[in-house]
Amino acid sequence: MLFNSYIFVFLFFPVSLAGYWLCGKAAEKKGRSFLPSLFLVAASLLFYGYLKPAYLPVLLVSLLVNFAFYRQIEKRKEKKAFLAGGIFLDLLVLGIFKYTGSTFVPLGISFFTFSQIAFLMEGYRGSLKRTSLLDYSVYLTFFPKIMEGPIALPTDFLPAYQESGKKGFSIENLYRGLTLFILGLSKKVLLADTLGKAVDFGYSNLSVLNTPDALIVMLSYTLQLYFDFSGYCDMAMGIARCFSISLPLNFDMPYRAENIMDFWKRWHITLTRFFTKYLYIPLGGNRKGRIRTYVNTLVVFLVSGIWHGAGLTFVIWGGMHGVLYVITRWLHDRRKDRAVASGGMERRVDFQSRIRKLYCTILTFLFVNAAWVFFRAPSIGDALALFKRMGSLTFTRINWNLAGSFNLDEFWYVIKVLHLDSWQYAHYILMVLILAAALVLSMKKESAVRMAEKIKPGALSTLVLAGLLLWCVLGFGGVSSFIYLNF
């Protein structure tokens, strides 16, 4: 089941929310505290198995096997052997489904595999209180996060979930959660899917693109991916908030980053945290000298590339980020050494530093754009073909069909009403407006999460949110699935 569907918005979400809180009331009266958790697991399994029921047995078997390993880690002295066995089995299953060319790849397998590895690791470290099978099932299957994250650590999720049961239903949480859900849905339906049409056209017609066309395709995917994935995470956080459950922030305006290190503090934050805690630090982190630190960093980025997909394009994407990250960290280390040698340098915020910040932000954004080409392209050849079209320096008029990808019917009607459709460049108006709006929104200081917290309840804000929801729902017929469902 997808968040951006009629059955989810009008049936599953309201029924599951009402059922959860009604079970909570029943649990208080009858002393059966397990009822809300049992209901939530059942609802989550229904959500997961809706699109393809055949995926459900894989999830259930994986859940039971990992819980059995967790119990052995708790009981046995040979904890390390059971930890290694559990992680090896998880990665083996992930590898079989994802990297052997299988056409049967359970949705969200990368995400729920990492959640299970995190659970085994925290169980081994003794960070978890004794966890029941039911609580573990809630952690793993909680429907807002199971297919695309964010990757919540059990040490954060379980205490927050248990606390939510004590707090009970909250109108404030419901309002803030629905607000964030609508903002995330708008990012997906109104922006990401519109940009996606241009991207799909571009990669299907590489040979006819000129330089501006290729640049538009590259920029469109950069914006599409951000609004698609961050939109999903906003919706997931908003849904969880309605249940009074907290999920971690996954995006913090990443395209405002000053350098690639800053970018990875803002983009897919929970994946960065997972790799830092369970790969980078166990490899030695920064405790064994700078050369080892740089090597460990490269390993993490290459593994991240492989996690996203089996193709060489993902390895190149991970390698590009890893190499630039190491170079950036090396420059920071040198600057720090010089500052220490000179007795410390006070950082001044003046006009020159602001210009430098802007310059660095632009360069980082351009690099990220270029790296995303390998992330999106079906093959290395297609990625190079797009770069070749950019470098051809042909500046003829932008492709008519590419520009037409942005011409939403509701906006085109407004252009006709204003009698602008007879203008020779009318076909390009919406392309410019949508790209400009998407670029500005991606660079805003405040994320949708912060906006949802700051919006004051009132007639105007409620009307705007209702209008956005209605607009999104009317557009459900032409929406696509989320990009990260493929990972």
Side-chain angles (χ1 to χ4, degrees):
M1 196 178 301
L2 299 176
F3 295 159
N4 51 331
S5 63
Y6 299 112
I7 190 170
F8 180 83
V9 171
F10 294 113
L11 183 61
F12 180 85
F13 184 22
V15 169
S16 63
L17 186 61
Y20 176 75
W21 290 118
L22 287 174
C23 284
K25 290 292 184 183
E28 289 177 10
K29 292 179 180 179
K30 299 181 180 180
R32 296 176 179 176
S33 59
F34 64 88
L35 284 177
S37 297
L38 189 62
F39 177 86
L40 195 53
V41 171
S44 296
L45 292 176
L46 174 63
F47 173 87
Y48 182 79
Y50 177 81
L51 290 177
K52 194 166 185 177
Y55 293 151
L56 204 49
V58 178
L59 175 64
L60 289 171
V61 170
S62 181
L63 183 155
L64 293 172
V65 169
N66 273 271
F67 187 75
F69 271 102
Y70 162 70
R71 277 285 188 251
Q72 294 304 313
I73 289 171
E74 271 195 326
K75 294 177 181 177
R76 307 281 183 175
K77 291 183 179 180
E78 305 85 4
K79 292 183 177 183
K80 189 171 288 188
F82 285 101
L83 173 66
I87 292 176
F88 173 79
L89 191 59
D90 284 333
L91 295 178
L92 178 63
V93 171
L94 177 63
I96 290 172
F97 282 118
K98 195 168 178 180
Y99 303 110
T100 58
S102 172
T103 56
F104 183 83
V105 182
L107 291 174
I109 188 169
S110 295
F111 285 93
F112 70 69
T113 296
F114 272 21
S115 292
Q116 294 185 122
I117 290 174
F119 193 86
L120 293 177
M121 288 290 293
E122 295 305 325
Y124 172 78
R125 293 174 176 177
S127 306
L128 295 172
K129 294 181 180 178
R130 185 174 177 83
T131 304
S132 68
L133 177 60
L134 186 56
D135 282 346
Y136 175 64
S137 299
V138 172
Y139 163 68
L140 186 66
T141 66
F142 186 44
F143 72 87
K145 72 176 183 65
I146 187 171
M147 292 198 292
E148 282 193 50
I151 303 170
L153 300 184
T155 46
D156 297 329
F157 179 86
L158 288 172
Y161 173 67
Q162 289 154 4
E163 188 65 25
S164 72
K166 298 175 184 176
K167 291 179 179 176
F169 177 75
S170 164
I171 290 291
E172 174 73 11
N173 284 338
L174 180 65
Y175 180 83
R176 298 298 171 191
L178 289 176
T179 298
L180 185 54
F181 175 80
I182 293 170
L183 293 178
L185 187 64
S186 301
K187 289 163 76 172
K188 164 61 179 172
V189 176
L190 305 182
L191 288 173
D193 284 340
T194 302
L195 292 160
K197 294 174 186 176
V199 174
D200 291 342
F201 172 82
Y203 277 98
S204 299
N205 300 274
L206 289 170
S207 61
V208 303
L209 303 182
N210 60 26
T211 298
D213 295 339
L215 289 169
I216 288 170
V217 171
M218 179 178 72
L219 176 62
S220 294
Y221 183 69
T222 295
L223 297 171
Q224 179 202 5
L225 184 61
Y226 169 68
F227 287 114
D228 189 282
F229 195 15
S230 70
Y232 181 98
C233 292
D234 290 341
M235 283 185 268
M237 291 180 70
I239 295 164
R241 182 74 181 270
C242 293
F243 287 85
S244 295
I245 299 171
S246 297
L247 288 179
L249 181 70
N250 212 21
F251 289 88
D252 188 15
M253 308 311 293
Y255 293 152
R256 290 175 59 88
E258 294 181 49
N259 55 59
I260 204 65
M261 293 171 64
D262 188 24
F263 176 81
W264 281 104
K265 291 176 182 177
R266 298 166 175 263
W267 179 277
H268 209 339
I269 297 168
T270 58
L271 181 66
T272 302
R273 180 177 62 173
F274 178 92
F275 278 128
T276 300
K277 192 169 187 178
Y278 302 123
L279 182 59
Y280 177 74
I281 292 175
L283 285 173
N286 59 0
R287 304 186 305 276
K288 298 185 178 182
R290 288 183 178 174
I291 298 298
R292 180 67 177 272
T293 298
Y294 303 150
V295 171
N296 292 341
T297 300
L298 280 174
V299 169
V300 167
F301 276 102
L302 290 173
V303 171
S304 176
I306 295 169
W307 176 81
H308 281 89
L312 283 175
T313 51
F314 292 106
V315 176
I316 292 173
W317 169 79
M320 288 175 68
H321 276 272
V323 169
L324 184 60
Y325 194 103
V326 167
I327 292 171
T328 305
R329 181 154 188 170
W330 175 71
L331 291 172
H332 277 233
D333 289 340
R334 287 190 62 192
R335 193 176 301 122
K336 190 185 299 182
D337 291 342
R338 287 198 297 267
V340 171
S342 62
M345 295 173 60
E346 184 179 349
R347 186 176 179 182
R348 294 184 300 171
V349 180
D350 53 17
F351 178 75
Q352 187 176 1
S353 66
R354 287 173 183 159
I355 293 295
R356 181 181 177 278
K357 179 180 178 180
L358 177 62
Y359 173 73
C360 291
T361 301
I362 292 172
L363 286 181
T364 302
F365 182 69
L366 291 174
F367 171 83
V368 169
N369 270 262
W372 285 139
V373 171
F374 287 98
F375 194 87
R376 169 59 176 82
S379 67
I380 295 174
D382 287 330
L384 296 177
L386 185 66
F387 285 123
K388 184 177 180 181
R389 301 314 301 168
M390 290 181 211
S392 65
L393 301 182
T394 52
F395 294 93
T396 53
R397 181 174 290 191
I398 292 169
N399 187 283
W400 182 267
N401 292 317
L402 177 63
S405 303
F406 295 90
N407 288 343
L408 300 176
D409 292 340
E410 55 268 41
F411 284 132
W412 188 249
Y413 178 76
V414 174
I415 289 175
K416 285 186 175 182
V417 169
L418 296 174
H419 303 292
L420 294 174
D421 53 314
S422 59
W423 185 39
Q424 62 172 326
Y425 295 108
H427 190 70
Y428 301 92
I429 292 175
L430 290 177
M431 180 191 71
V432 173
L433 290 178
I434 290 172
L435 283 174
L439 194 57
V440 169
L441 288 172
S442 72
M443 294 287 183
K444 280 173 89 298
K445 286 186 177 181
E446 288 192 336
S447 64
V449 176
R450 293 193 182 95
M451 286 177 61
E453 290 300 317
K454 292 179 68 174
I455 290 175
K456 295 181 179 179
L460 180 60
S461 59
T462 302
L463 187 63
V464 170
L465 290 169
L468 283 174
L469 178 60
L470 177 62
W471 189 4
C472 290
V473 168
L474 291 175
F476 275 178
V479 300
S480 63
S481 62
F482 291 90
I483 293 173
Y484 260 72
L485 283 180
N486 299 319
F487 302 131

